[in-house]
Structures are given as C-alpha cells and as structure tokens.
Amino acid sequence: MARTVRTWLRRAGVAPRDASPKFKREAAPHSLKLAVQKATSDVAAEFDFSTVSEAPNTLPSAFASPPLSSGLLQSVRDILGPTARPTPIQALSLKHLFDPPSADSHRRFLLASETGSGKSLAYLLPMLHDLKATEHLRTRCTGPRALVLSPTHELARQLAGFGKALVHHDRLRVQSASRANFASGTKARVSAAKMSNRFGGKDAEGEFEVRPGGGTGHTVDVLVGTPSKLLEMVRGNGWNKEFAEGEEERRRKWVVGRPEVSLSDVEWVVVDEADVLFDPDFIDQTLLLLSDVAAARGKPVPVISRAEPKPKPQASPATPLDYPFNFVLTSATIPAALATHLDAHHPDTTRLVSPRLHRLPTHLALEFAPYTSGNRNAEVLAKLKAVWRDDALAGRRGGRSRVIIFTNTRARAGEMGAYLSDHGVPNVVVTGQGKGGSGGGGARAHGSNKHLAGFLRPLPGHRADAGVNAAEAEAPRVLLSTSLLARGLDFDPSVSHVFVLEPPRNTADFLHRAGRTARAGGSGRVVVFGRGAGRGAGKVREMRQRIFALKSRR
C-alpha cells in the first residue's frame, strides 16, 4: 500500500525521489497517505460528483430525423460530415431534450461534460428545433424567442456564428448582442435596417440593434450576449449608472437610454458556462436578467439579485424559482456552489452528465516545468522555442504550432507579451484592458473576433485549415490571456500547446485552461510552470495533487 501511494504522489510531484531509507520506511506511508486523502477530499469538496452518467448503449448513436428536423439534420451533416456521430453529451440531448414540454410547464436541464465535447451543439439543436416547430403558432414577435447567455463577448460571437450555420436550411435568425453597433471609424449608432446590409449574409460575426416593434422586418429568433450587455439592452443604456457622493448635478442631467429589446416572447434561456455565470462575480447580473425575463412574460419570480438598484425583499435561500421558460444550463464542471444553487432554487432540474465529466481530454499530455532560475520569462521563451524546434524536426503540416499562454493577472500577461516581442516573437495579448497589440496591454476588438483570427476554429463554411495560408504564416502564433479566454471558446486544432504560467485559483480553472487544446478528440499538451522549491512551490504541489486525484477517480 505504501509503495502504491508513494508512486502516486511522486507522479503528482509530492514524494521526494531522494528520500532516505528511513523516510521511505517510517515517515512516507503515513505522510503520503494523508496527502492522498487531502487531495481527494479537496476535489470532492470542489466538485459535485453525485450525478451518474447514463449507459452509452441506451443513447442514440447517430444524428437522425426525427428527432431533428430535416433542415437541422442537413446542417449538422454540412458542418460535421455525413458520417459524424454524436458525442455522449449530444446523445443525451437527443434522447431527453427533444420531447415537447407540456402546455402548462417548462423544462429545466443541466448539461455537463468535459471541455471540447460539443455542448454548444447539444443545446442549440433542441432549442432551434423547438423554435422552428412552433414558429407557425406565434403571432408577430416584438423580441427574441430565445436568449443564450455567455460570460464573454468573444464566446457570444462564436456561439452566434455557430448558431447561424445551424439554421442555414431552417431560416431562423440568430444574432449576437455582445456589443452595441458602431459603424467603422465612428461612434454613432447604426440602425438595424442599415446594419443588416453590412452584417447579413456571409459575415457571421456581425451584430445589429434589436428594437421592440421596430418594424424593420429583422425579427431575431435567438439573441446571444453577456448578461451585462443584455441587461443594458433590456433596461436602457446606463440603467445601472453609479455616481460618487456629491455629484447631484450630474445625476440630474443623466438620462437613461431607452430599452432596445423586449423579453415578452422569450421561450428559451440557455446559460452557457453556468459555472462562471453563477459564481460570485456574475451571479447577480445573471439572476437579475432571468427575473426580468420572467416579469416580462407576466409571471414574476422572487428577485434574489443583489444587483437590483432598488433592492426588493430577499427571497428565502430555499425558495424555488419557477421560471416561465425552458431553462438550460451548460458547463464543463459542476462546482459545489452551482450544485447547491440548483438544489435550493431548481430542484426539478434534470442533470445530464458525460462519462468523462471533470476529466482532462483523453489525448492531452501534461508536463510540469519548474522554474530553475530567476528569469521566468526567459524559461518560458526557451520552452516556446523548443516546441517550435520539435515542429520543424517533425515536419509539422501548417508550420509552427499555435500556443496559448495563460496567466493569473493582466500585468503578468502584458509583461510576458512585451518580453516575447522584445525577443522577436510576435504575440497577441487579450486581457480586456489596455491599448493592446503585440506585447501590449490587452488587445480586444469590439464587434468582432478578428483579434483572435487564426486561433479560433473557423466557422462552418469558412476556410477549414487556418494554418496553411501563406499570409497567416507570418501572423502571431502566440496568444496570451487571463481566464478571460479560458471558458467555452472553441480553439483551432493548430493550438497544440497551452502554457500555464502559475497555478490558477482552483482546479476548475485549470481544467478550463487545459481544455483549450486537445479538443474534439484531438491531441495537445499542457505545460504547467511554477516554482519547484521555496516560496510558491506549495501551490504547484497542491495543484498537481488535485489533478492526479481527478485522474485517479473511477
């Protein structure tokens, strides 16, 4: 037993290889067993493992019509190929989410599966199918019939582009509201009618304003955006404007902009990356938007959002929230906090999980690289050059690998980016702040994902191989970011490596960062940097223990 435990901990970077015989004989069994128990206990406390996945032989093994409409089935085949088979989470969706809800109730689901497993398709297909099937029952709508919430503008735009590809044959309208519309080179708003010509058709990333009863003929079926952006559209620009004490004059002059969209027709709400949108940083806005949707549909629910400008009486923690719309949450992890929220407020939610939930991708290699000198940036650069040297020796098709580097702070990302630029390595830093650019303070384009060109998987119908174009061969192959880009985004297969420069705040964050490579059955490698000894080494050791505790679960 002691020998097995010691081997496990050595792989996790805990047991010293140079331990003395006395340590091995006496101290090791007890100390290492405690370390194993602590890592296992920590993981059990961080995630919810209570839901058991269904047996694969009970699930659909192919995309077919029914349950899919003929138009959706053709779109799936156009995107994935004629012989594509559903992933486990997609098979669960095909089995459970296509049954129509009863006339007087709505359905609630949690779809949870590992990164890169196709969760977007798993919720988009049943939602779009239902919207198309019930289209003839609706009178002229004044607003969207479905909302998809995402934690970042980048993810919202990618989801909208994917949704557009799926409705190519069924002719539903999917739009991104992740950013207000501005004409190129100006700050003036542009109307829906004018923007439709610019962003319609082939440009899947375009956005335009959605105004209630606008009469432009551009009714939107699915609106995708961040909770903060959608709240702005629903309540008017500046609805949550705050002023410092003593600014009464400015307060009197401030006028909240008029709302741009109605929620009265919303039949579906999807919360993508629910583990993020229900964490402390986002949950207030998420719950406030959900309450606004319920109120707009004439069935208010208790407001438990602390973001309400004029607080209402707080609901009891155990008060169920009976939202009057179909409610779907998706996530690559089920943190304990999310599970607790669902238990308290949505106890009737059907939880569907894949067999590999809370696991790393099957073909993902892990490498731990301890810093051995005082120049951390130089060691990262050396590792980067080693990756590209291996690419050249292997004759890698498409040239050098793309590498995503994750840091815990904006300052660290900017510092690393500047160092790489100074040493002749073009890169893009995206942290949501600063002027940006190669090695700058956080380039983030508004209204499109052009700042991520080459790193994101091409949208359906676009050029499939982002690495073979000669013009892109000279484009930056390194992207640096914080957790901003670690959630949900589907990166291109040319992203073969992820560098994690310091231990993230928890295991879930690590799983999301690592999951930006080796997606959809592909291969990749995660290189985790950290101190091998001294101050900070304990955090690296603890993270390694938790990773191996997850790998050892059955």
Side-chain angles (χ1 to χ4, degrees):
M1 171 63 184
R3 189 173 189 179
T4 302
V5 172
R6 186 162 53 250
T7 301
W8 188 93
L9 266 296
R10 278 178 177 164
R11 292 177 179 173
V14 181
R17 293 185 178 276
D18 58 348
S20 65
K22 182 178 180 180
F23 176 87
K24 294 179 181 179
R25 184 176 63 254
E26 298 177 3
H30 179 67
S31 300
L32 299 184
K33 184 176 181 180
L34 289 179
V36 172
Q37 291 174 344
K38 183 181 185 303
T40 303
S41 176
D42 289 343
V43 166
E46 186 173 347
F47 300 113
D48 178 74
F49 294 96
S50 62
T51 305
V52 179
S53 59
E54 296 185 28
N57 59 3
T58 66
L59 303 176
S61 59
F63 294 105
S65 178
L68 294 176
S69 68
S70 57
L72 280 178
L73 179 59
Q74 184 59 51
S75 293
V76 169
R77 290 174 174 171
D78 291 344
I79 295 169
L80 302 181
T83 61
R85 294 186 176 277
T87 65
I89 196 64
Q90 293 165 358
L92 285 164
S93 171
L94 291 171
K95 178 178 178 179
H96 294 281
L97 268 68
F98 282 81
D99 293 335
S102 60
D104 58 348
S105 66
H106 296 87
R107 310 181 71 193
R108 298 175 181 85
F109 290 94
L110 169 65
L111 303 178
S113 65
E114 67 278 11
T115 60
S117 58
K119 290 184 291 296
S120 301
L121 193 70
Y123 69 73
L124 284 171
L125 287 178
M127 181 184 73
L128 296 172
H129 174 88
D130 181 68
L131 294 178
K132 188 64 179 180
T134 58
E135 188 177 37
H136 66 286
L137 302 176
R138 309 302 176 194
T139 58
R140 180 175 176 82
C141 293
T142 60
R145 296 170 60 201
L147 300 179
V148 178
L149 313 185
S150 99
T152 66
H153 301 304
E154 285 81 2
L155 178 56
R157 289 189 282 265
Q158 189 177 53
L159 290 173
F162 188 39
K164 286 183 179 184
L166 286 173
V167 297
H168 178 73
H169 298 284
D170 278 349
R171 300 300 179 184
L172 294 172
R173 193 161 185 88
V174 181
Q175 288 294 337
S176 168
S178 67
R179 185 69 185 171
N181 304 303
F182 299 94
S184 179
T186 179
K187 293 186 177 181
R189 280 183 177 271
V190 181
S191 68
K194 292 181 179 179
M195 293 299 282
S196 65
N197 293 327
R198 175 176 302 179
F199 289 137
K202 296 181 179 180
D203 193 335
E205 292 185 351
E207 302 129 17
F208 58 77
E209 293 183 57
V210 182
R211 295 189 178 277
T216 63
H218 298 287
T219 302
V220 171
D221 295 291
V222 182
L223 192 58
V224 190
T226 64
S228 61
K229 178 56 190 173
L230 292 175
L231 280 170
E232 179 184 300
M233 297 183 73
V234 170
R235 295 183 166 217
N237 182 35
W239 68 271
N240 60 341
K241 185 75 173 180
E242 294 182 359
F243 298 92
E245 186 177 353
E247 294 187 349
E248 292 82 1
E249 184 64 26
R250 286 185 59 194
R251 186 189 301 273
R252 284 196 295 270
K253 292 181 179 179
W254 178 259
V255 178
V256 176
R258 71 185 182 96
E260 299 177 5
V261 64
S262 166
L263 299 177
S264 59
D265 298 306
V266 173
E267 303 162 26
W268 287 77
V269 176
V270 176
V271 181
D272 203 333
E273 302 298 320
D275 57 341
V276 179
L277 291 183
F278 279 90
D279 78 8
D281 293 334
F282 288 90
I283 189 169
D284 283 349
Q285 291 185 344
T286 301
L287 293 177
L288 184 58
L289 179 60
L290 295 174
S291 296
D292 280 1
V293 178
R297 290 183 59 79
K299 296 182 179 179
V301 299
V303 178
I304 63 175
S305 172
R306 295 186 300 276
E308 180 66 44
K310 296 180 180 179
K312 299 180 180 180
Q314 296 294 301
S316 166
T319 301
L321 301 178
D322 188 15
Y323 292 134
F325 45 79
N326 296 306
F327 189 43
V328 180
L329 302 95
T330 75
S331 182
T333 61
I334 308 179
L338 176 60
T340 299
H341 179 85
L342 294 179
D343 289 340
H345 300 295
H346 305 286
D348 58 345
T349 298
T350 301
R351 303 186 189 187
L352 305 175
V353 304
S354 70
R356 291 194 56 81
L357 178 66
H358 301 137
R359 301 288 186 89
L360 292 168
T362 304
H363 302 294
L364 180 71
L366 275 176
E367 178 182 344
F368 292 91
Y371 292 121
T372 58
S373 71
N375 192 338
R376 298 182 301 168
N377 293 340
E379 295 191 42
V380 174
L381 175 59
K383 186 62 181 177
L384 187 61
K385 290 182 176 179
V387 169
W388 289 338
R389 182 173 61 249
D390 291 343
D391 288 339
L393 293 174
R396 185 178 183 276
R397 182 174 178 266
R400 295 179 299 173
S401 298
R402 285 191 168 89
V403 179
I404 300 177
I405 299 178
F406 285 112
T407 67
N408 287 350
T409 66
R410 295 166 176 169
R412 178 75 176 105
E415 171 199 328
M416 187 72 241
Y419 182 88
L420 292 177
S421 294
D422 290 344
H423 287 78
V425 179
N427 61 89
V428 179
V429 181
V430 181
T431 61
Q433 188 178 50
K435 296 181 179 179
S438 181
R444 197 179 188 192
H446 295 305
S448 77
N449 281 344
K450 292 180 180 178
H451 56 304
L452 300 178
F455 289 95
L456 295 183
R457 189 184 296 271
L459 290 170
H462 290 59
R463 179 171 46 81
D465 188 350
V468 298
N469 186 278
E472 286 192 358
E474 300 302 321
R477 314 292 287 189
V478 180
L479 172 66
L480 298 99
S481 186
T482 57
S483 291
L484 176 75
L485 299 185
R487 304 283 180 147
L489 286 168
D490 189 13
F491 282 100
D492 190 79
S494 62
V495 177
S496 66
H497 284 69
V498 166
F499 288 4
V500 179
L501 298 198
E502 54 261 319
R505 62 177 180 172
N506 54 43
T507 315
D509 277 357
F510 176 80
L511 288 175
H512 282 279
R513 294 182 187 191
R516 297 315 101 196
T517 186
R519 299 179 63 80
S523 60
R525 176 176 291 269
V526 174
V527 181
V528 182
F529 293 84
R531 295 185 181 276
R535 184 179 180 183
K539 292 183 178 180
V540 179
R541 211 163 36 239
E542 183 178 325
M543 184 183 69
R544 293 182 69 168
Q545 293 171 25
R546 294 190 180 190
I547 293 170
F548 281 92
L550 280 176
K551 293 181 69 174
S552 66
R553 289 187 65 89
R554 294 291 183 265

